[in-house]
Amino acid sequence: MATVEVNKPSSLPPYSEMIFAAIAALNDKNGSNKSAISKYIESQYGDLPAHSDLLSLHLNKMKESGELILVKNNYMRPNPNAPPKRGRGRPPKPKAPLPPGHVPPPPRPRGRPPKPKDPNAVATPKVSSGKPRGRPPKMARSAGAPTTTTTGSPRPRGRPPKVKTQFASAGFD
């Protein structure tokens, strides 16, 4: 018997109709909040399975589609005579309609476009000098290599220290 009741089609109206009926019945000029709508639906249609989740889902869906507006956590039907609300920022420019049968070009690739090739330039073959491009890799020092250069003693790295002059002591007796 339990399977017959579960598979039986529901005689409940869609959630959107239940929500509109609740807002109309509550008739608040500032709109109705979610808890008031929920209490009204539960009082009219009894205990519904997963009611709070379904109510939240349908309220959000109706808000995004423009069937309801949300003002200070209260849901209400939008005024049909009110001008449409603008979004933030500058409105986009209106696009000119494309003629029928026109195929738009593919989108531009990312990055800087390559420099244009000069059609009058003579193609010169690349001449390789045999050396690879760029700075050559550092050569590893061998353990037995001398550290001195042919010009004299090796200079230490970095800036030389400042020379301090010695002053003769002035005798103030």
Side-chain angles (χ1 to χ4, degrees), residues 3-172:
T3 57
V4 174
E5 293 175 17
V6 172
N7 294 334
K8 183 171 66 169
S10 177
S11 61
L12 294 173
Y15 254 90
S16 58
E17 289 181 19
M18 289 193 278
I19 291 170
F20 286 140
I23 292 173
L26 293 170
N27 197 20
D28 191 0
K29 67 173 185 156
N30 295 329
S32 303
N33 61 15
K34 182 177 166 184
S35 62
I37 294 171
S38 175
K39 286 178 186 173
Y40 178 84
I41 291 175
E42 285 177 344
S43 69
Q44 293 295 314
Y45 301 102
D47 190 24
L48 300 171
H51 170 64
S52 61
D53 294 334
L54 285 172
L55 180 65
S56 298
L57 176 81
H58 284 277
L59 283 172
N60 285 333
K61 202 181 293 184
M62 292 168 74
K63 180 179 68 170
E64 289 173 3
S65 68
E67 296 175 67
L68 292 178
I69 56 173
L70 181 67
V71 178
K72 296 184 183 176
N73 285 337
N74 290 335
Y75 293 92
M76 62 177 71
R77 294 192 80 157
N79 185 357
N81 300 329
K85 283 194 104 173
R86 279 190 43 207
R88 293 178 57 186
R90 185 179 184 141
K93 290 183 179 179
K95 294 185 178 181
L98 296 174
H102 176 67
V103 178
R108 288 178 35 179
R110 292 180 55 179
R112 185 175 182 165
K115 290 184 178 179
K117 305 270 184 189
D118 187 14
N120 298 333
V122 178
T124 58
K126 292 200 174 203
V127 178
S128 175
S129 63
K131 289 168 51 175
R133 293 179 59 189
R135 183 181 181 132
K138 243 184 185 178
M139 300 300 285
R141 287 191 180 189
S142 60
T147 57
T148 60
T149 58
T150 57
T151 59
S153 66
R155 268 194 332 205
R157 292 181 45 154
R159 184 177 184 135
K162 197 172 193 179
V163 178
K164 296 180 181 177
T165 57
Q166 296 293 329
F167 292 107
S169 64
F172 296 108

